Amino acid sequence: MKKWIFSLSTISILTLQMVAQKPIYLDNNQPIEKRIQNALSLMTTEEKVAICHAQSKFTSKGVPRLGIPELMLSDGPHGVREEICWDEWDPAGWSSDSCLAFPALTCLAATFNPDLSLAYGRAIGQEARYRRKDVLLGPGVNIYRTPLNGRNFEYLGEDPYLSSKMCIPYIKGVQENGVSACVKHFALNNQEFDRNTINVEASERALQEIYLPAFKAAVKEGNVWSLMGSYNQFRGEFCSHNNYLINKILKQDWEFDGVVISDWGATHNTKQAINNGLDIEMGSHTNGLSISLSNSYNQYYLANPYLEALKKGETSVDILNEKASRVLRLIFRTSMNSNKPWGSFVAKEHSNVARKIAEEGIVLLKNSSNILPIQPSAYKTIAVIGENAIKRMTLGGGSSALKVKYEISPLEGIKDRFGKSSEITYSQGYASGASMFKKVLKCKMDNDSLFKVAIETAKTADLVIFVGGLNKNHEQDSEGGDRTSLNLPFNQDKLIQEILKVNKNTIMVLVSGNAIAMPWINDVKTIIQSWYLGSESGSAIASVLSGDCNPSGKLPFTFPVKLSDVSAHSFGEISYPGINQNQEYKDDILVGYRWYDTKKIAPLFPFGFGLSYTTFEIGKATIDKSVCTANDEVKLLLSVKNTGKIAGAEVVQVYINDEKCSVLRPAKELKAFSKVALLPGETKLVELNLPVKEWAFYNDKTSKWEIEPGKFNILVGTSALDICQKIIVNVN
């Protein structure tokens, strides 16, 4: 046994050293800005650099010496991702991280209901808070430019105004919980094909009018605390360290005081990362996918290379302090926010919110023979056909994949609602195989046999409910790859056509986050557009089929007849998907319904379209002034009446048309909407405010928003094509 012998002088020295190490206190009773300056004064250069890059797959380092905790980030935006290993992408294997899946953001956008967006944000924010997350990576607000984009299901549609109005409440709801929303992907990340290299060229006008408004609203009105850069390049510079986008527009023009976080593996250069506004670098040396090198976090562009640049005097300490200040501000708003609530997880209240959003987001596209709603005991046998009736849609899709506590499938929901009065049979019809990121594992099942059995099942049923569409496999609705066709995959179009030959009583339930072609549309009586609805998927679908819930969703993007009708695809490969990693947005400001309406191209279903089981009447609209200036606000007043026999909700949509202008303007632009819930026979007055300054166009010659004097038409309707009233306003 060893004996440790200390002299009195040795013990005295040790004692003195221990006494000398006085505790360091942060002054946490001051306002955040003073706390930031206090913390900066106590931090070393190494500590400041350390908080500007990742220390694991989903955390960035704090300052342990000062008691400043790390930031914990989590994928969203439809649920809180399961825990993964510290430095690997494998699941950590926890038993307490099975979350609730909320509907995808396309569904939220289809509700046209900002109140539900607030409820969504609050609920998912509570889930993130309970899981001790500081940053939730969402919402996504990139514009739906092409129906082939594999990630469209994560976004809020094709219209910048709708995206803006729906993202603001979501952000506020999340951040009420002391969790930062992280709006993504900034900017022009509108395709997955070549996303890591594609260089986008777009006009300044298209940038300001179409692709930036939702980001601007998130910053200026939502007061979002963090924002994620995108993978792609814009005008030759990667977006996660793009000087014009981040320093000029975001931080200077919009006065953003939060943190810019790189997408995982989206950083490419130390000098640009330092100087062009990036604050936290995540995921480098893994490209977001593969296992990182040992201790690679110290080799990040904003890690040791940054320290070396500081030591050599190649960069200013002021820039480092500015980055560190932003990161500290985020920490004080989240992990060191002593007033944050505790949160809650997979609560019944959250399930109710998820189901309500799912029900209100489902869109009734066609109901020509009034098959819907399905009346009790109307059919002795109901055949449910299609893989999507049983496939788990919370899996796959890339970073939005979730490990859920429960997921009610469409088949389960239909059986639960109609099983007591009707015999429910099921036939799969087709098989897609299992999904892995950027890979689809082939199914061993015989598709020919599945096809034949489905047809026989349809023949003998009184009613067929076909549940098909897309799923979250690679090259469908999934991160990392775009779709290769507008048509349904897995031979579904042929299957549908054969089913319709043997049974005209067929209801189509389409599950997708994208528009699809419908070559069989004239032969089918009823079509429902269902999105990825999350844990309550089956319950919501059954609720709409039965009429327990009257559908009130409206399309947040246009359904084209064919792919060549889409603006992005009308100018050849240079416009989509790009040539040699270069792409020009030749459709400019004419995206979505702006393109179809201006070019007079008939869509399959227009933006804002959605049917109901009841009928509505919009009364004559009036305005408080017919002559105004750009500083005025026009108040529009109208009535909406439910003229049917069941309760329902209608979405009043107001568009603006500039009758004559020196530059090309779209035939119409959405500038206001209101969802009105009405009992049978009930009438409500609706008041909509229209700030005239929001009718402006961006003049890229003067770099200003401008309104030219003249006549403007206020167009009132229930979709981009269903315009029932026009009111003329003169702007002086």
Side-chain angles (χ1 to χ4, degrees):
M1 179 181 292
K2 292 183 178 180
K3 294 183 178 180
W4 299 97
I5 301 174
F6 295 96
S7 67
L8 183 61
S9 60
T10 303
I11 296 173
S12 299
I13 291 170
L14 290 172
T15 304
L16 287 171
Q17 287 178 339
M18 292 172 65
V19 171
Q21 293 174 354
K22 294 181 180 179
I24 301 172
Y25 294 100
L26 289 173
D27 190 350
N28 292 325
N29 295 318
Q30 296 293 324
I32 282 181
E33 297 310 309
K34 287 190 175 181
R35 293 171 67 187
I36 291 170
Q37 294 307 312
N38 172 225
L40 281 177
S41 70
L42 299 171
M43 291 169 65
T44 66
T45 297
E46 289 75 12
E47 287 169 337
K48 292 174 185 177
V49 169
I51 66 174
C52 293
H53 65 85
Q55 64 167 353
S56 75
K57 285 290 185 286
F58 277 96
T59 68
S60 65
K61 196 171 185 178
V63 189
R65 182 180 66 87
L66 299 179
I68 298 174
E70 61 206 3
L71 279 171
M72 309 286 289
L73 297 83
S74 175
D75 271 319
H78 311 131
V80 185
R81 186 174 180 171
E82 69 180 309
E83 301 298 329
I84 65 168
C85 297
W86 185 257
D87 191 30
E88 297 175 0
W89 288 101
D90 296 329
W94 288 23
S95 60
S96 59
D97 58 349
S98 296
C99 71
L100 182 77
F102 293 86
L105 292 192
T106 43
C107 178
L108 177 62
T111 69
F112 274 69
N113 189 340
D115 291 339
L116 282 183
S117 183
L118 179 61
Y120 192 131
R122 283 173 172 163
I124 197 171
Q126 288 167 8
E127 300 240 333
R129 176 75 277 140
Y130 179 87
R131 289 271 301 280
R132 299 181 181 179
K133 304 303 180 185
D134 303 307
V135 180
L136 183 71
L137 304 178
V141 298
N142 292 103
I143 290 296
Y144 185 110
R145 181 174 181 254
T146 165
L148 299 188
N149 182 8
R151 216 162 179 181
N152 277 334
F153 71 96
E154 292 188 43
Y155 302 142
L156 290 164
E158 72 185 23
D159 182 71
Y161 181 84
L162 176 65
S163 296
S164 298
K165 294 305 178 185
M166 294 302 290
C167 81
I168 293 166
Y170 179 107
I171 292 164
K172 290 182 176 180
V174 169
Q175 294 186 171
E176 283 180 10
N177 294 279
V179 176
S180 172
C182 184
V183 175
K184 59 185 187 182
H185 305 88
F186 191 65
L188 298 121
N189 183 190
N190 305 305
Q191 67 186 58
E192 290 298 286
F193 182 83
D194 276 350
R195 69 173 184 175
N196 295 304
T197 54
I198 196 75
N199 176 48
V200 175
E201 296 290 339
S203 74
E204 192 64 23
R205 190 176 171 204
L207 183 70
Q208 298 287 345
E209 291 190 21
I210 304 297
Y211 298 105
L212 290 188
F215 290 103
K216 183 177 182 180
V219 172
K220 301 291 284 184
E221 299 177 67
N223 297 311
V224 72
W225 295 339
S226 63
L227 182 146
M228 183 191 291
S230 60
Y231 284 117
N232 55 287
Q233 299 180 71
F234 174 58
R235 297 178 184 167
E237 205 165 56
F238 283 100
C239 290
S240 282
H241 39 72
N242 187 292
N243 184 57
Y244 182 61
L245 288 176
I246 299 174
N247 283 339
K248 173 63 172 66
I249 293 177
L250 179 65
K251 292 185 174 180
Q252 179 180 315
D253 295 351
W254 299 349
E255 299 177 319
F256 176 62
D257 70 353
V259 168
V260 175
I261 302 171
S262 74
D263 206 338
W264 272 235
T267 312
H268 299 269
N269 180 282
T270 292
K271 184 177 179 180
Q272 291 180 3
I274 292 171
N275 295 322
N276 294 354
L278 181 62
D279 299 311
I280 297 180
E281 176 188 358
M282 299 297 296
S284 296
H285 300 294
T286 70
N287 196 27
L289 303 176
S290 58
I291 297 174
S292 61
L293 300 172
S294 177
N295 299 317
S296 69
Y297 300 103
N298 290 332
Q299 307 307 316
Y300 274 24
Y301 297 102
L302 286 183
N304 286 349
Y306 193 2
L307 280 172
E308 288 299 313
L310 286 162
K311 290 176 182 177
K312 293 177 181 178
E314 296 172 351
T315 183
S316 166
V317 176
D318 291 341
I319 295 177
L320 174 61
N321 285 338
E322 200 261 345
K323 292 182 190 295
S325 295
R326 290 175 178 272
V327 178
L328 288 169
R329 187 177 295 114
L330 181 59
I331 291 172
F332 293 150
R333 284 169 165 171
T334 57
S335 61
M336 291 189 74
N337 177 359
S338 60
N339 295 319
K340 62 180 180 284
W342 291 354
S344 55
F345 200 54
V346 199
K348 180 63 176 176
E349 294 79 5
H350 297 175
S351 296
N352 292 341
V353 168
R355 178 167 175 169
K356 177 67 173 172
I357 294 165
E359 289 175 345
E360 280 206 25
I362 291 173
V363 183
L364 179 61
L365 294 178
K366 188 175 181 180
N367 196 23
S368 59
S369 297
N370 293 319
I371 293 179
L372 293 179
I374 299 172
Q375 300 301 318
S377 305
Y379 305 98
K380 290 183 179 179
T381 57
I382 298 176
V384 179
I385 298 176
E387 186 189 56
N388 280 3
I390 59 169
K391 191 172 182 68
R392 292 186 63 187
M393 294 299 182
T394 54
L395 300 175
S399 62
S400 65
L402 297 171
K403 172 185 172 184
V404 295
K405 190 76 171 178
Y406 72 94
E407 180 179 354
I408 301 170
S409 71
L411 180 60
E412 290 173 321
I414 290 168
K415 281 185 173 180
D416 184 62
R417 183 61 182 83
F418 301 105
K420 293 180 181 178
S421 57
S422 303
E423 179 187 351
I424 311 295
T425 59
Y426 174 69
S427 181
Q428 187 169 329
Y430 66 93
S432 63
S435 175
M436 295 177 67
F437 194 77
K438 288 198 171 184
K439 185 178 181 182
V440 179
L441 304 179
K442 290 184 178 180
C443 181
K444 297 179 180 179
M445 300 183 72
D446 184 345
N447 274 283
D448 289 338
S449 297
L450 291 175
F451 189 101
K452 292 174 182 177
V453 171
I455 301 303
E456 292 303 313
T457 302
K459 282 181 182 177
T460 59
D462 296 324
L463 176 70
V464 174
I465 302 175
F466 182 86
V467 187
L470 307 177
N471 60 35
K472 291 186 178 178
N473 284 8
H474 180 55
E475 293 185 343
Q476 291 195 60
D477 286 326
S478 179
E479 180 183 359
D482 284 353
R483 298 166 66 195
T484 58
S485 170
L486 191 63
N487 288 88
L488 288 174
F490 318 121
N491 212 24
Q492 287 181 77
D493 286 329
K494 183 179 179 182
L495 177 60
I496 291 167
Q497 288 166 337
E498 292 301 314
I499 288 173
L500 291 170
K501 287 179 182 178
V502 300
N503 197 326
K504 296 293 184 184
N505 256 11
T506 297
I507 296 168
M508 300 297 306
V509 178
L510 300 172
V511 180
S512 76
N514 258 311
I516 61 165
M518 300 183 189
W520 31 260
I521 190 169
N522 293 329
D523 299 320
V524 70
K525 296 177 180 178
T526 304
I527 306 171
I528 282 179
Q529 173 60 34
S530 167
W531 319 98
Y532 300 114
L533 301 179
S535 290
E536 291 288 332
S537 176
S539 299
I541 289 172
S543 181
V544 169
L545 291 173
S546 65
D548 294 341
C549 172
N550 190 349
S552 61
K554 301 285 185 176
L555 292 178
F557 50 79
T558 309
F559 273 52
V561 175
K562 56 186 183 299
L563 195 59
S564 59
D565 290 343
V566 179
S567 64
H569 298 267
S570 297
F571 299 93
E573 290 186 11
I574 191 62
S575 183
Y576 178 88
I579 299 175
N580 297 325
Q581 282 75 55
N582 286 292
Q583 182 179 34
E584 298 176 23
Y585 281 17
K586 288 184 172 291
D587 46 349
D588 202 49
I589 61 166
L590 297 182
V591 178
Y593 68 87
R594 288 166 168 80
W595 168 262
Y596 295 92
D597 291 357
T598 306
K599 298 295 183 180
K600 299 186 178 351
I601 299 171
L604 188 64
F605 294 104
F607 171 85
F609 177 81
L611 302 174
S612 172
Y613 297 151
T614 189
T615 55
F616 301 94
E617 181 182 279
I618 297 179
K620 182 177 176 59
T622 60
I623 56 176
D624 64 340
K625 55 178 73 73
S626 59
V627 179
C628 57
T629 69
N631 295 320
D632 288 334
E633 183 174 84
V634 175
K635 293 187 183 297
L636 183 145
L637 190 68
L638 54 79
S639 64
V640 183
K641 181 178 181 180
N642 182 344
T643 55
K645 296 181 180 180
I646 61 174
E650 180 61 288
V651 178
V652 178
Q653 300 164 41
V654 180
Y655 299 82
I656 294 297
N657 162 255
D658 189 350
E659 208 165 271
K660 185 178 181 181
C661 188
S662 62
V663 299
L664 173 68
R665 300 208 64 178
K668 63 175 72 72
E669 300 171 74
L670 184 69
K671 294 300 177 185
F673 62 87
S674 179
K675 191 162 196 175
V676 189
L678 297 161
L679 297 172
E682 185 181 13
T683 300
K684 286 183 180 178
L685 289 177
V686 178
E687 183 179 293
L688 294 160
N689 297 320
L690 300 166
V692 178
K693 65 181 180 180
E694 294 184 2
W695 306 357
F697 67 90
Y698 188 83
N699 189 331
D700 48 15
K701 294 179 181 178
T702 63
S703 299
K704 293 180 180 178
W705 290 90
E706 297 179 4
I707 298 179
E708 294 179 352
K711 290 182 179 180
F712 283 78
N713 297 312
I714 298 176
L715 308 174
V716 180
T718 54
S719 80
L721 284 186
D722 185 12
I723 302 299
C724 59
Q725 295 182 56
K726 180 175 78 171
I727 305 172
I728 298 174
V729 174
N730 287 286
V731 177
N732 293 333

